[in-house]
Each structure stands twice: as structure tokens, then as C-alpha cells.
């Protein structure tokens, strides 16, 4: 039986925050959650566009300004969320850039790594205090098939590199970081005895706005062919993240993607990931690097063999 939006359970009484929710997969995710009764916070860089989309989403949809390319903006967004709500049931780390038209974030990080990973790492750490006592709460981080293009995580000397502006490898490493973060976060949450679990998902291949922001010339015909033959609409591509967020039978630590040809389209099912994404020591090193670079430190506990596992809200 293929899982669909019809399988999303009643979300009344739940509050969700979705990053990158002013378009594409994030907007579709927010729309479905709102249609099931959730209060949905659309975390958007462009608030004017976000407000317009929130009106179309309907239900209890509202906008929080959050520019993941700025750690100051991330901190302000987290503070605003904490002022508005006293609990958070779902955090969907969906926003991302691919071949962006700039080389560095406001804080000087390579754009893919800074936006796709570090911004979400910081935001999650600053919001977990609203989640870890909430039964059924979930953090869902959206990765990509492109993580398989990365044989390893970003190194400290590459975090501020200017060479990843239009690099497939840099994008792949950022999506590998998303998957590694989701798995390490789940281990730490489990070790802390938190109610929250962490999962990851990828959308397969979908014609969203990411493909129109400066892909290298050699990749454009390849992408166009792939999208034509294997691509799917955003409402279908959002299914893995929606299932990870709402199917409470799924255990923490899971990774979902489309079940069709080459995982490019089809129903939401358990997905494959590369060896690098399963390297626990590399996950710990990435976690420690992310804490150092963002200033958001997750609290320590003695229950971890290689590193601390207890997770609480922290401020930089």
C-alpha cells in the first residue's frame, strides 16, 4: 500500500515549524500539515512572500523571519518562536540552497554548508527546549540523493572555502551533513531519554526553484533530462518528509525517500544512504565542528561513549 497525504493523521493541537516554507517542498509540507489542523510556523527569509503564501496555506499558518545564512537571524527567529509558543511538536529542517549566487554566508561560511547544515544545526539546538518533553515530537531534516556525491563530511578548513559556489561536491557534502546530523541528533536524544526523535528524508527528484539558481553549465542538460524522465511534482516529493514527520510508527533514526526508480519518485519508503553517512565517529566530529562554528552548544552528559548525548536548549 502506497503512503499518501491521505495517511497524514489529525494534527489538531500540534505546532509545527517548517523552514523554507515560502515555496517548493516546504510550502507543500506546511500546506498539508495546516490542512490537518496543525498550527504551522512558516520560517522564511522573505517575509513578504511568506505572508502571501501563509494566506494561501490557510488554517493556523503564520510567518517567522529566518535567514539561515545569518546566525544572528537564526537566533532572532528562535527567540521569536519561543515568545509565541510554549511547545513545538514538529521541526522540519527543509530549507536549502543549491549553487547559490553568492559565495559565503553572513558569517563567512561556504554557502551550501552554512545554510543547509549550520543554520539548521543552530536553529534546532535553540528550539529543542520546546520539544524534548513533548510526546511524539520530531525533528525531520531534509537531505538529498546528492549526499551520495560526497565521500566525506566537510573539513574544518573547508567550512569557509570560497570554492563551493557552484560545486556539486560542496552541495553533496552539505546534504551528507544533514543526514549525519539527523542520525547523531537521534542518538543523543535517545541517550537523554527525550520524548523527541530525529529522522531524515529526501525528496527524490523534483522540479523546484533550486534548479533555477545557477547550476553549472554542464549539469543543466543532465538535470533537464532527469527531471523530464524521472522527476515528480512537489506534492509527491514532499511525501517522505511528511511521513517522517507524522507517521508515529516510524522509529527515530530512520531515513525515508521515494520508492520508485533510482529513488527519484514514488511512495515514501525507507531509503538507502552511502557509507560516509553511517560513520558514527565522523558524525561526532561534524557535531563538534558545528558547535564550534555556530556557538550553539548542546549540553553535556556522561552517557556517551565517544561524546555527550544529552540534548537541551542552549544559547550561544
Amino acid at each position: 500500500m502506497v503512503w499518501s497525504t491521505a495517511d497524514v493523521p489529525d494534527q489538531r493541537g500540534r505546532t509545527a515549524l517548517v523552514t523554507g516554507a515560502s515555496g517548493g517542498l516546504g510550502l507543500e509540507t506546511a500546506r498539508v500539515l495546516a490542512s490537518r489542523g496543525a498550527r504551522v510556523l512558516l520560517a522564511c527569509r522573505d517575509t513578504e512572500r511568506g505572508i502571501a503564501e501563509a494566506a494561501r496555506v490557510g488554517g493556523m499558518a503564520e510567518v517567522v523571519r529566518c535567514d539561515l545564512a545569518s546566525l544572528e537571524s537564526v537566533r532572532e527567529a528562535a527567540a521569536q518562536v519561543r515568545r509565541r509558543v510554549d511547545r513545538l511538536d514538529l521541526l522540519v529542517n527543509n530549507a536549502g540552497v543549491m549553487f547559490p549566487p553568492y559565495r559565503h554566508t553572513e558569517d563567512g561560511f561556504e554557502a551550501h554548508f552554512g545554510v543547509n547544515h549550520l543554520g539548521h544545526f543552530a536553529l534546532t539546538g535553540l528550539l529543542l527546549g520546546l520539544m524534548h518533553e513533548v510526546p511524539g515530537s520530531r525533528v525531520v531534516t531534509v537531505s538529498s540523493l546528492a549526499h551520495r556525491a560526497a565521500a566525506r563530511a566537510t573539513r574544518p578548513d573547508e567550512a569557509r572555502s570560497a570554492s563551493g559556489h557552484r560545486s556539486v561536491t560542496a552541495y553533496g557534502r552539505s546534504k551528507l551533513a544533514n543526514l549525519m546530523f539527523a542520525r547523531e541528533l537521534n542518538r543523543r536524544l535517545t541517550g537523554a531519554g527525550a520524548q523527541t526523535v530525529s529522522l531524515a528524508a529526501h525528496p527524490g527528484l523534483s522540479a523546484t526553484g533550486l534548479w533555477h539558481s545557477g547550476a553549472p553549465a554542464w549539469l543543466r542538460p543532465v538535470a533537464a533530462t532527469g527531471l523530464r524522465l524521472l522527476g515528480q511534482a512537489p506534492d509527491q516529493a514532499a511525501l517522505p518528509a511528511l511521513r517522517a514527520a507524522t507517521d508515529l510508527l516510524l522509529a527515530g533514526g530512520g531515513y525515508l525517500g521515494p520508492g520508485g526508480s533510482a529513488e527519484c519518485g514514488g511512495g515514501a519508503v525507507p531509503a538507502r544512504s552511502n557509507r560516509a553517512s553511517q560513520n558514527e565517529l565522523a558524525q561526532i566530529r561534524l557535531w563538534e565542528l558545528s558547535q564550534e562554528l555556530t556557538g550553539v552548544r548542546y549540553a553535556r552528559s556522561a552517557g556517551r561513549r565517544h561524546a555527550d548525548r544529552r540534548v537541551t536548549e542552549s544559547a550561544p
Side-chain angles (χ1 to χ4, degrees):
M1 183 175 178
V2 177
W3 196 91
S4 72
T5 54
D7 296 300
V8 175
D10 190 346
Q11 299 293 299
R12 283 176 293 184
R14 308 193 85 198
T15 299
L17 185 145
V18 183
T19 67
S22 61
L25 306 183
L27 177 59
E28 182 62 25
T29 300
R31 185 193 66 78
V32 173
L33 292 173
S35 74
R36 296 297 188 273
R39 177 184 182 184
V40 183
L41 306 180
L42 282 65
C44 309
R45 180 170 56 88
D46 184 340
T47 52
E48 185 175 334
R49 180 180 173 188
I51 290 169
E53 295 299 346
R56 282 191 276 271
V57 166
M60 294 182 287
E62 55 194 275
V63 174
V64 175
R65 185 183 185 278
C66 183
D67 182 356
L68 292 165
S70 165
L71 290 175
E72 180 180 0
S73 177
V74 169
R75 294 181 186 110
E76 290 173 352
Q80 187 178 159
V81 172
R82 291 196 299 268
R83 288 192 295 268
R84 292 193 198 182
V85 304
D86 57 8
R87 60 177 274 169
L88 194 61
D89 297 83
L90 297 174
L91 172 58
V92 183
N93 291 323
N94 161 82
V97 296
M98 183 169 66
F99 318 129
Y102 52 84
R103 294 180 181 273
H104 291 99
T105 68
E106 182 179 290
D107 304 282
F109 302 121
E110 187 279 313
H112 294 102
F113 185 62
V115 173
N116 297 354
H117 171 62
L118 292 177
H120 282 127
F121 179 92
L123 183 66
T124 302
L126 294 167
L127 292 178
L128 270 177
L130 297 173
M131 301 187 73
H132 63 251
E133 300 294 336
V134 178
S137 56
R138 298 190 158 209
V139 178
V140 177
T141 302
V142 178
S143 182
S144 167
L145 284 169
H147 88 271
R148 297 177 190 169
R152 57 171 177 77
T154 298
R155 292 171 176 161
D157 63 315
E158 296 167 333
R160 299 182 185 274
S161 170
S163 63
H165 171 50
R166 298 178 69 183
S167 167
V168 174
T169 299
Y171 176 68
R173 285 177 183 161
S174 74
K175 302 316 287 183
L176 173 62
N178 289 153
L179 185 48
M180 295 171 73
F181 163 64
R183 286 173 167 163
E184 179 64 10
L185 175 60
N186 191 67
R187 277 194 294 272
R188 290 171 182 252
L189 289 167
T190 300
Q195 296 284 341
T196 312
V197 298
S198 168
L199 299 94
H202 80 81
L205 194 59
S206 182
T208 65
L210 287 180
W211 291 104
H212 306 296
S213 56
W218 67 265
L219 183 59
R220 293 171 197 166
V222 177
T225 300
L227 289 168
R228 186 175 67 255
L229 297 177
L230 299 171
Q232 57 183 347
D235 62 335
Q236 292 297 304
L239 289 177
L242 278 167
R243 184 174 185 182
T246 64
D247 185 349
L248 299 185
L249 296 178
L250 295 174
Y255 179 45
L256 300 182
S261 177
E263 294 186 20
C264 289
V269 300
R272 295 179 295 112
S273 64
N274 68 4
R275 177 180 290 185
S277 71
Q278 302 170 45
N279 185 324
E280 184 175 343
L281 184 57
Q283 292 166 12
I284 295 167
R285 288 172 176 163
L286 175 65
W287 186 279
E288 293 172 345
L289 174 63
S290 302
Q291 288 189 138
E292 177 184 344
L293 295 176
T294 63
V296 177
R297 297 190 174 273
Y298 292 64
R300 292 184 175 273
S301 172
R304 184 79 155 85
R305 183 164 56 93
H306 296 299
D308 34 280
R309 291 178 100 172
R310 185 182 173 201
V311 181
T312 62
E313 175 190 343
S314 66

